[in-house]
Amino acid sequence: SIAAGELVEEIRMRLAPSWWSSITQLLFLLTVSSLLTSGCGLLSTSETRTGSIERVFHVRYVSSIKDCNIGDEFRLWIPVPHDDDHQVISNMKVRGPIAGTLSSEPRFGNSMYYFEGKCSASQMNFTIEYDVDRYAYSVDLALTTEQTADQSSEMMAKYLTPSSLCYVSSQVKQEAEILTADKFTVLAKGRAFFFHILEQMAYDKRHQGWGRGDISHACDVGKGNCTDFHSYFNALCLASGIPSRFQIGMWGKYESVIGEYQTGSYHCWAEFHVPGQGWIPVDISEADIDSQNAGRYFGSHSANRVTLSTGRDLTLIPPQAGPVLNYFVNPYLEINGHPSSKVIKKCFWNENIQ
């Protein structure tokens, strides 16, 4: 699991290299011995993932720098997905006027391609494409009612940190206290937050300020998109000391479609952590849109998505000259050392219908 992986990394960082080498060699021999005596081969990475493969598709993500003055210096960061418990990325190909470098930032492990150079044309296109296997992600909520001792509190600290727009206001603190007064498990508290937000908010982008994930806006206006819904959820979790995380990525159609089509802008969602049990997925904005089936969006995520990044207030690799990013789903551009809006993206989706 993610928590286990973070625990191993924490142990590795605290041990001297010689000790760590000896431990890893011993663990490897024990693992191979166990697998051989049980008649199994070495496990593939896909076997660590939950559920079965639910969707297979090819993604083409095109970033275009436009109206660039010849000779201007530019820096471009493009988000790319990476393997996790719910998706496998393969066959990644990159095309552009210059070569780029692939890296990951250390805080959340978000991956990105970085390009740096001088504008050689008024428009420059950078295309990144890849295949995605997306796994079913549905949690048996009956199993998560039991909480056990959680040894990963240090690793959870980054999921208990406020951001510039998602924090515990006095209103959020009061709401969280009222909603959890008679709730004694993290699962019950998360469920209370989920349905409270459904009652308080509406999916509506016909006003100023939506889409930033600003907790003050979400509470005061009670309208917004997925960013606003899940910032509200993250803030309530934060007020109650519950680790939660904000994720954002690309969004395809619910039903399989033959042929390539251009997707919409983006979609975002959240997870919260039950001690000793793991992460619980929620998609509150989709529950609001599909209100007749709202309950199904607590404890599961549909497979028509690709996770691009986790977290808020992000610093890229190498670090950008501008301020931290609120979230990272679109390409980020700097020209002559300053943030620039002269970049657009188009995302194309092609289903591999089995």
Side-chain angles (χ1 to χ4, degrees):
S1 68
I2 293 175
E6 291 174 335
L7 180 59
V8 170
E9 178 65 12
E10 177 73 11
I11 294 172
R12 185 187 72 79
M13 294 297 292
R14 292 176 181 270
L15 289 175
S18 59
W19 279 94
W20 177 252
S21 176
S22 300
I23 291 173
T24 52
Q25 290 178 25
L26 177 60
L27 289 174
F28 177 78
L29 292 173
L30 290 172
T31 302
V32 171
S33 175
S34 175
L35 289 170
L36 291 176
T37 56
S38 65
C40 300
L42 292 175
L43 296 177
S44 67
T45 56
S46 63
E47 291 185 74
T48 67
R49 291 175 173 83
T50 58
S52 57
I53 295 177
E54 195 167 293
R55 299 285 285 272
V56 178
F57 35 79
H58 182 79
V59 171
R60 187 163 58 91
Y61 187 111
V62 183
S63 303
S64 299
I65 298 177
K66 308 195 76 172
D67 303 321
C68 186
N69 297 320
I70 305 300
D72 278 355
E73 296 182 350
F74 76 90
R75 303 171 75 205
L76 176 67
W77 294 258
I78 301 175
V80 295
H82 61 271
D83 291 357
D84 62 26
D85 286 347
H86 314 296
Q87 64 186 25
V88 174
I89 313 301
S90 60
N91 301 321
M92 185 173 290
K93 299 179 178 65
V94 182
R95 299 191 303 277
I98 61 172
T101 56
L102 179 64
S103 61
S104 297
E105 54 86 25
R107 186 178 172 208
F108 296 106
N110 296 319
S111 297
M112 63 206 75
Y113 255 97
Y114 173 70
F115 302 87
E116 180 177 356
K118 292 186 176 181
C119 294
S120 56
S122 61
Q123 178 169 327
M124 296 184 294
N125 297 325
F126 300 81
T127 300
I128 303 178
E129 54 186 307
Y130 37 83
D131 296 326
V132 181
D133 291 348
R134 188 74 193 189
Y135 286 70
Y137 186 15
S138 182
V139 174
D140 185 347
L141 297 176
L143 298 178
T144 61
T145 56
E146 294 294 331
Q147 295 180 199
T148 60
D150 194 349
Q151 303 300 319
S152 58
S153 57
E154 289 186 18
M155 292 72 172
M156 288 292 110
K158 61 187 172 185
Y159 303 117
L160 287 167
T161 303
S163 68
S164 55
L165 293 177
C166 182
Y167 52 88
V168 180
S169 65
S170 58
Q171 180 178 342
V172 167
K173 184 176 185 294
Q174 182 180 38
E175 288 181 4
E177 290 174 350
I178 293 172
L179 290 167
T180 60
D182 60 346
K183 306 296 187 298
F184 304 104
T185 66
V186 170
L187 183 67
K189 294 175 183 178
R191 192 191 302 273
F193 298 158
F194 178 92
F195 285 103
H196 173 72
I197 294 169
L198 281 179
E199 292 177 358
Q200 298 298 312
M201 291 197 67
Y203 192 92
D204 188 339
K205 299 185 287 186
R206 297 169 297 179
H207 62 281
Q208 293 290 327
W210 67 269
R212 300 176 64 235
D214 184 341
I215 184 59
S216 296
H217 177 85
C219 291
D220 294 344
V221 179
K223 298 177 182 178
N225 76 340
C226 58
T227 317
D228 308 301
F229 274 76
H230 295 104
S231 290
Y232 199 166
F233 183 83
N234 292 143
L236 287 169
C237 286
L238 187 60
S240 299
I242 300 172
S244 69
R245 57 189 180 189
F246 174 94
Q247 294 186 318
I248 193 167
M250 293 168 292
W251 185 244
K253 296 181 183 296
Y254 275 105
E255 70 282 0
S256 297
V257 176
I258 297 175
E260 185 180 73
Y261 63 92
Q262 185 174 342
T263 65
S265 178
Y266 64 84
H267 185 52
C268 53
W269 50 90
E271 297 173 301
F272 68 101
H273 194 264
V274 174
Q277 297 295 336
W279 293 100
I280 308 298
V282 298
D283 196 334
I284 314 172
S285 55
E286 286 301 291
D288 183 74
I289 294 171
D290 185 19
S291 58
Q292 296 298 314
N293 301 293
R296 73 171 57 167
Y297 299 94
F298 182 82
S300 68
H301 281 161
S302 58
N304 56 319
R305 70 189 72 206
V306 181
T307 305
L308 280 180
S309 69
T310 298
R312 309 281 295 275
D313 285 359
L314 300 174
T315 299
L316 307 178
I317 299 294
Q320 67 271 32
V324 292
L325 299 191
N326 187 16
Y327 46 76
F328 190 36
V329 67
N330 295 318
Y332 174 75
L333 173 68
E334 293 183 347
I335 294 181
N336 296 329
H338 300 284
S340 173
S341 60
K342 294 182 177 181
V343 62
I344 62 171
K345 78 107 173 11
K346 293 182 179 179
C347 182
F348 301 90
W349 194 285
N350 199 332
E351 190 93 8
N352 183 2
I353 301 175
Q354 301 289 317

